[in-house]
Amino acid sequence: MDPLTWSNALTSWQLSPWDVLVVLLAVTYLAGLLRYRHLGRWPIRRAAAFLGGLLALVVAVNSAIGVYSEALTWVHMVQHLVLIMAVPILLIVGRPLELWVAASGTTASRRLENALRSGTVNALTHPATSFVYYTVVLVVTHLTVFAQLRLEHEWLRHFEIVLYLTSGYLLFLPVLGSEPLRWRHFPHPLRVVLLMAGMLPDTLVGVVLMMAPNPIAPGYRLARPDWGPTLLDDQHLAGAIMWFFGDATMAVLALITVGVWLRSRGPEAGFGTWLESARRSALTQTASGAAPALRDSADVDADEQALADYNAMLARLHQGSGSHQGSGPHQGTDSYQDTDSYQDTEPHSPGGSTGEAAPADPAAAEYGTGNTWHDRPERGSR
């Protein structure tokens, strides 16, 4: 391979199997734009971002970056950062899934939405799953024998590109939060946490490559036996690029997310629907009988049927605990009457299933809003 010069950097180009995917994605996106015209005008910045992501993919695999990534470790690291960060971020900003859902017919749109919200997709796009996948990809492709094997087998080089594109896309998908998925309204505080956590594997890989006493992939020397830096210097430079530019990208995105967070007024401003879903799931698992309203309600505290199921669940739990305590002042009829007292004190909106307003007694209201059973003390007792 010829030495890397400015002239060779500008004139070295190659074809790649990835060109077929780029053309297919571009045609599909443009077709979606044409079908979307009857609904309105799709923002130009989104289309520009998506097409820019495809262009970045072409540059990463077809230009001198792709050509010399097989000869220089630091060039391969540049290619890696483009594939795992720049390309996925631009594609996500383009919102292709939202475009295809909106531009499809009614039946096709419904099917696509159902598929995007299926259990499998929810699990694959879960932020925790994405972070683990991203970390494993970085460590395995740079700090194991994989780094040498990819130089010996062409199919591994293409498989590595798949790993970079998918791990970056899944990691940034909940952070940029714009596609019609379950994690679309992922809370901004957790987005910042995810980005900060993403710095850890970037830093780990970069520091290890910078500090390693021996080359991890000596096969790079075979592509350039008489030119270029030593294998160790080349590897140290690659580690520095990974550490600096990887962490810098995460930091910039975190600052942007904080700015959006401060201006946000929706459920993403706090822990939003994510925390409500976790509480609803915990209540549903605690219920010993059927409680469909607890499972399906968007807001447990505002749904009258969910409150009724909640009261019934507490009554069953209290009866069950009372039956195992033996004889005592809270067993039998007294315990059941106390349960009725709890149901009477549970606040409901007008038109609720009980037909009674919440008591004015603050103590009663206090004991009627907790998530666990509390025996109501006698009035006046301390």
Side-chain angles (χ1 to χ4, degrees):
M1 184 176 293
D2 295 333
L4 178 59
T5 62
W6 285 108
S7 175
N8 289 336
L10 295 176
T11 58
S12 297
W13 286 82
Q14 63 183 3
L15 295 177
S16 168
W18 291 93
D19 298 339
V20 178
L21 177 63
V22 169
V23 172
L24 289 176
L25 290 177
V27 170
T28 305
Y29 193 88
L30 293 175
L33 290 178
L34 293 176
R35 299 190 63 177
Y36 187 84
R37 288 187 302 175
H38 69 281
L39 297 176
R41 184 178 180 182
W42 186 257
I44 296 179
R45 64 181 182 278
R46 295 180 189 174
F50 186 84
L51 296 177
L54 295 181
L55 178 61
L57 176 57
V58 170
V59 171
V61 297
N62 288 7
S63 72
I65 296 177
V67 174
Y68 284 91
S69 66
E70 312 305 323
L72 293 166
T73 311
W74 72 265
V75 176
H76 173 259
M77 190 61 70
V78 172
Q79 182 191 52
H80 153 226
L81 290 175
V82 173
L83 293 174
I84 206 170
M85 291 187 172
V87 174
I89 290 173
L90 290 172
L91 294 181
I92 294 171
V93 172
R95 301 190 185 185
L97 298 179
E98 180 179 335
L99 173 63
W100 293 331
V101 168
S104 302
T106 304
T107 303
S109 177
R110 186 181 302 111
R111 290 177 179 175
L112 181 56
E113 283 186 310
N114 291 337
L116 293 175
R117 294 183 178 274
S118 64
T120 301
V121 174
N122 289 341
L124 291 176
T125 57
H126 192 287
T129 305
S130 303
F131 172 73
V132 172
Y133 180 39
Y134 179 83
T135 301
V136 171
V137 167
L138 288 188
V139 172
V140 170
T141 58
H142 291 94
L143 304 182
T144 69
V145 68
F146 184 95
Q148 173 63 30
L149 292 176
R150 64 171 294 277
L151 297 174
E152 302 172 4
H153 304 281
E154 184 177 0
W155 71 271
L156 275 181
R157 293 198 286 272
H158 294 296
F159 179 63
E160 183 185 48
I161 294 176
V162 173
L163 294 177
Y164 288 157
L165 291 175
T166 55
S167 62
Y169 184 86
L170 291 176
L171 180 72
F172 294 116
L173 192 58
V175 172
L176 300 177
S178 56
E179 297 289 28
L181 300 167
R182 178 182 178 182
W183 312 108
R184 180 171 189 164
H185 299 293
F186 193 56
H188 290 303
L190 296 183
R191 298 185 192 192
V192 176
V193 171
L194 183 60
L195 288 169
M196 293 294 102
M199 290 185 177
L200 298 178
D202 292 344
T203 302
L204 171 65
V205 171
V207 171
V208 170
L209 290 177
M210 291 175 62
M211 303 297 292
N214 299 305
I216 294 178
Y220 279 106
R221 173 55 70 184
L222 298 177
R224 50 178 184 86
D226 54 357
W227 63 270
T230 65
L231 288 176
L232 208 54
D233 289 341
D234 184 25
Q235 180 175 291
H236 291 169
L237 178 58
I241 292 173
M242 175 66 185
W243 186 9
F244 178 80
F245 289 100
D247 283 2
T249 302
M250 294 292 188
V252 170
L253 287 177
L255 290 175
I256 294 175
T257 302
V258 170
V260 175
W261 175 15
L262 294 177
R263 297 192 302 270
S264 177
R265 293 296 181 268
E268 302 92 341
F271 289 93
T273 56
W274 180 83
L275 186 59
E276 178 65 22
S277 298
R279 185 167 77 98
R280 182 171 60 251
S281 176
L283 290 174
T284 304
Q285 294 175 8
T286 303
S288 58
L294 283 178
R295 182 187 66 250
D296 302 331
S297 175
D299 187 349
V300 174
D301 297 317
D303 191 311
E304 294 178 1
Q305 186 57 48
L307 289 175
D309 283 353
Y310 183 48
N311 288 343
M313 179 193 74
L314 292 178
R316 289 192 300 270
L317 293 176
H318 188 59
Q319 279 187 296
S321 62
S323 63
H324 294 290
Q325 291 176 356
S327 59
H330 300 290
Q331 188 178 5
T333 305
D334 293 339
S335 176
Y336 185 77
Q337 290 174 347
D338 201 29
T339 301
D340 290 339
S341 175
Y342 175 83
Q343 292 176 333
D344 290 339
T345 59
E346 181 68 27
H348 294 275
S349 61
S353 59
T354 62
E356 296 178 14
D361 183 7
E366 178 182 356
Y367 287 94
T369 57
N371 287 342
T372 58
W373 177 264
H374 297 278
D375 286 337
R376 182 180 173 187
E378 296 296 332
R379 190 179 300 275
S381 62
R382 298 291 182 187

